């Protein structure tokens, strides 16, 4: 059964906390197909224009007290009082700062003993402010309580290394990348091990679109050595765990994002203008792939499909603490001089292609709020923390110094 109706929001919307002016709302088509409700934005936005991120607080220094010197930040988290939790993967510890950036305490440290971290990868925060660190080196989830004496260890046998985040939901469940029955590492179509808030293994779930086959190219030597890379700019399956405990997902061949809800699926769509891939940009991506596979299969040359002349509409999903969905969209790249070019490295080139970050922001009901253009030093890895009009993210300056910055969403001034 299919029911369709048009909803044209022509009345004035408040600017959702990012300003005092009102703006005409988006024009939306709503459609129902079985248990899927499709919300498609044709034009306009609740904010009425683009927004930027204005820095309000920075944590991290180039020189000074040790607790403010970060080696390699692997995850960040924020609680309801805006205390900031910074997982330093290099130091193998978690540092906690108050809402004004003042240092509070450090948890963890290198080792295999109680509370210590051997080869930690990611950190997340539970609703009761317990801190969970995925540590495959110790084959466990290390859990730190709100007080310094509280420690828990949740063992898990599927101890392996993953670049996936560690997710938690509003019910206190923890989602950990796991192996499938064949022993292959989760990436795109593996499994997630789910733990209840008390550490009890609850279930193992498969992310959506597990049957999607992304385009790849492969090189192989006569003795069985093998290297496989994804085809640049080809569509792929993308997913993340929403704070509701359900998946937000999509295949990036078109602008359609599925959020699982209690009674089915909410599909968020938006009119999209394709972003072009320049011929020189495609050549650069192809050459980079050849160099990568060539490290395993010397002399390998491209034998895969043609690289597309447009980019996928989106490249990542970032659910916020408030349930909003931040969608990293493709943008047009520019060829710039590589200031870090190393002539002795086969992976270093005199010029690189860089695309500015841009996010589309949706409420959990599919309302399109608008686009956000972060500053150049804003990093989408590790995952930023989004909560209403506040954003926390890692920034890196020209000297490579990492900081955690709190930003405020601010509407761009109109003409």
């Amino acid at each position: 059964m299919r029911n369709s109706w048009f909803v044209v929001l022509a009345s004035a919307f408040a600017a959702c906390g990012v300003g005092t002016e009102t703006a005409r709302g988006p024009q939306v088509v709503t459609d129902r197909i079985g248990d899927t409700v499709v919300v498609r934005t044709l034009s306009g936005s609740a904010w009425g224009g683009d927004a930027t991120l204005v820095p309000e607080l920075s944590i991290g220094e180039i020189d000074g007290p040790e607790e403010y010197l970060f080696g390699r930040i692997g995850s960040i988290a924020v609680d309801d009082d805006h205390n900031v939790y910074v997982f330093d993967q290099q130091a193998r510890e978690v540092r906690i700062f108050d809402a004004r950036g003042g240092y509070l305490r450090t948890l963890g440290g290198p080792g295999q003993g109680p509370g210590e971290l051997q080869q930690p990868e990611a950190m997340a925060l539970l609703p009761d402010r317990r801190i969970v660190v995925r540590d495959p080196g110790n084959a466990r989830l290390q859990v730190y309580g709100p007080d310094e004496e509280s420690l828990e260890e949740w063992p898990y046998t599927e101890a392996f290394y993953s670049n996936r985040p560690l997710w938690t939901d509003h019910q206190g469940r923890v989602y950990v990348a796991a192996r499938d029955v064949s022993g292959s590492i989760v990436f795109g179509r593996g499994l997630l091990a789910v733990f209840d808030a008390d550490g009890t293994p609850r279930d193992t779930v498969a992310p959506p679109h597990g049957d999607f086959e992304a385009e790849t190219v492969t090189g192989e030597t006569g003795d069985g050595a093998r290297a496989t890379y994804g085809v640049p700019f080809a569509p792929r399956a993308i997913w993340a765990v929403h704070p509701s405990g359900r998946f937000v997902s999509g295949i990036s061949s078109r602008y359609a994002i599925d959020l699982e809800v209690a009674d089915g699926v909410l599909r968020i769509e938006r009119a999209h203008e394709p972003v072009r891939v320049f011929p020189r940009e495609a050549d650069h991506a192809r050459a980079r792939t050849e160099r990568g596979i060539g490290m395993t299969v010397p002399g390998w040359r491209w034998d895969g499909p043609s690289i597309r002349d447009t980019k996928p509409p989106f490249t990542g999903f970032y659910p916020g603490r408030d349930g909003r969905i931040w969608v990293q969209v493709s943008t047009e790249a520019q060829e710039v001089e590589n200031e870090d070019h190393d002539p002795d490295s086969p992976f270093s080139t005199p010029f690189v292609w860089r695309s500015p970050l841009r996010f589309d922001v949706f409420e959990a009901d599919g309302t399109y709020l608008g686009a956000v253009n972060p500053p150049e030093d804003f990093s989408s890895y590790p995952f930023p923390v989004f909560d209403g009009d506040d954003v926390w993210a890692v920034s890196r300056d020209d000297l490579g110094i990492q900081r955690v910055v709190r930003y405020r969403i601010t509407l761009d001034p109109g003409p």
Side-chain angles (χ1 to χ4, degrees):
M1 177 178 292
R2 174 175 178 141
N3 297 314
S4 303
W5 63 93
F6 287 86
V7 181
V8 181
L9 304 178
S11 59
F13 276 69
C16 300
V18 296
T20 57
E21 297 181 0
T22 59
R24 194 176 72 175
Q27 292 186 332
V28 177
V29 176
T30 303
D31 201 10
R32 179 180 288 277
I33 308 172
D35 65 352
T36 299
V37 174
V38 182
V39 179
R40 179 177 175 82
T41 301
L42 303 177
S43 63
S45 67
W47 290 342
D50 285 4
T52 57
L53 298 179
V54 176
E56 294 186 329
L57 174 73
S58 177
I59 304 173
E61 302 293 342
I62 189 174
D63 192 14
E66 184 174 336
E67 56 265 24
Y68 289 92
L69 307 179
F70 300 121
R72 182 173 65 251
I73 299 176
S75 305
I76 59 173
V78 177
D79 64 25
D80 291 340
D81 293 326
H82 289 183
N83 296 312
V84 180
Y85 302 74
V86 182
F87 164 52
D88 191 319
Q89 192 171 12
Q90 180 174 299
R92 287 181 274 179
E93 61 188 28
V94 177
R95 301 175 204 168
I96 307 175
F97 303 85
D98 65 25
R100 292 178 290 185
Y103 170 74
L104 297 177
R105 62 191 178 112
T106 295
L107 303 170
Q112 297 176 303
E116 295 178 335
L117 303 170
Q118 181 69 7
Q119 290 177 289
E121 294 177 325
M123 173 203 67
L125 191 66
L126 291 169
D128 60 6
R129 303 196 186 194
R130 283 179 298 162
I131 302 160
V132 183
V133 179
R134 184 178 71 223
D135 184 8
N138 283 324
R140 68 193 183 201
L141 299 176
Q142 181 64 61
V143 184
Y144 303 97
D147 56 88
E148 294 190 37
E149 292 75 26
S150 178
L151 288 175
E152 299 176 63
E153 294 176 1
W154 300 352
Y156 66 102
T157 57
E158 305 293 353
F160 71 101
Y161 303 95
S162 169
N163 61 358
R164 288 287 188 185
L166 185 65
W167 284 284
T168 59
D169 66 21
H170 290 325
Q171 290 74 44
R173 292 187 290 257
V174 182
Y175 300 79
V176 186
R179 295 178 187 268
D180 64 20
V181 293
S182 68
S184 63
I185 288 179
V186 169
F187 188 81
R189 57 181 177 185
L191 301 172
L192 287 177
V194 184
F195 291 79
D196 279 331
D198 63 358
T200 302
R202 177 185 180 89
D203 201 359
T204 302
V205 297
H209 309 299
D211 57 350
F212 178 75
E213 295 284 348
E215 291 183 349
T216 60
V217 287
T218 300
E220 189 169 2
T221 64
D223 59 2
R226 184 183 179 93
T228 299
Y229 277 54
V231 173
F233 310 117
R236 60 189 182 94
I238 298 173
W239 57 266
V241 179
H242 192 266
S244 63
R246 300 183 174 95
F247 286 107
V248 54
S249 67
I251 295 175
S252 62
S253 55
R254 67 189 187 96
Y255 204 123
I257 302 159
D258 288 348
L259 174 62
E260 297 174 356
V261 292
D263 56 352
V265 173
L266 174 69
R267 179 165 297 158
I268 301 170
E269 299 184 356
R270 182 168 178 259
H272 167 70
E273 186 70 28
V275 176
R276 59 181 171 174
V277 176
F278 294 97
R280 284 175 56 86
E281 184 182 6
D283 291 342
H284 183 271
R286 184 184 301 107
R288 187 175 61 237
T289 303
E290 290 179 341
R291 288 193 299 272
I293 294 181
M295 296 293 289
T296 303
V297 186
W300 184 86
R301 291 294 177 266
W302 185 273
D303 61 359
S306 299
I307 294 179
R308 288 167 169 76
D309 58 5
T310 60
K311 299 180 180 181
F314 53 78
T315 61
F317 301 143
Y318 302 84
R321 296 182 77 240
D322 56 350
R324 287 178 178 175
I325 301 170
W326 289 61
V327 180
Q328 184 173 333
V329 297
S330 294
T331 58
E332 193 170 281
Q334 289 186 332
E335 190 176 26
V336 297
E337 185 176 354
N338 183 4
E339 298 176 354
D340 300 319
H341 174 52
D342 179 2
D344 296 327
S345 171
F347 289 97
S348 182
T349 56
F351 294 89
V352 294
W353 287 82
R354 290 180 179 164
S355 303
L357 284 176
R358 181 177 171 89
F359 296 93
D360 281 344
V361 187
F362 297 88
E363 294 284 14
D365 63 2
T367 300
Y368 178 54
L369 298 178
V372 174
N373 300 297
E376 289 186 7
D377 59 356
F378 181 100
S379 177
S380 60
Y381 182 85
F383 271 36
V385 176
F386 303 99
D387 193 5
D389 297 330
D390 292 309
V391 178
W392 292 259
V394 173
S395 71
R396 186 188 298 268
D397 64 19
D398 294 338
L399 298 176
I401 304 302
Q402 288 187 313
R403 295 177 174 86
V404 177
V405 179
R406 187 187 73 222
Y407 301 89
R408 187 76 174 173
I409 301 176
T410 304
L411 280 178
D412 291 343

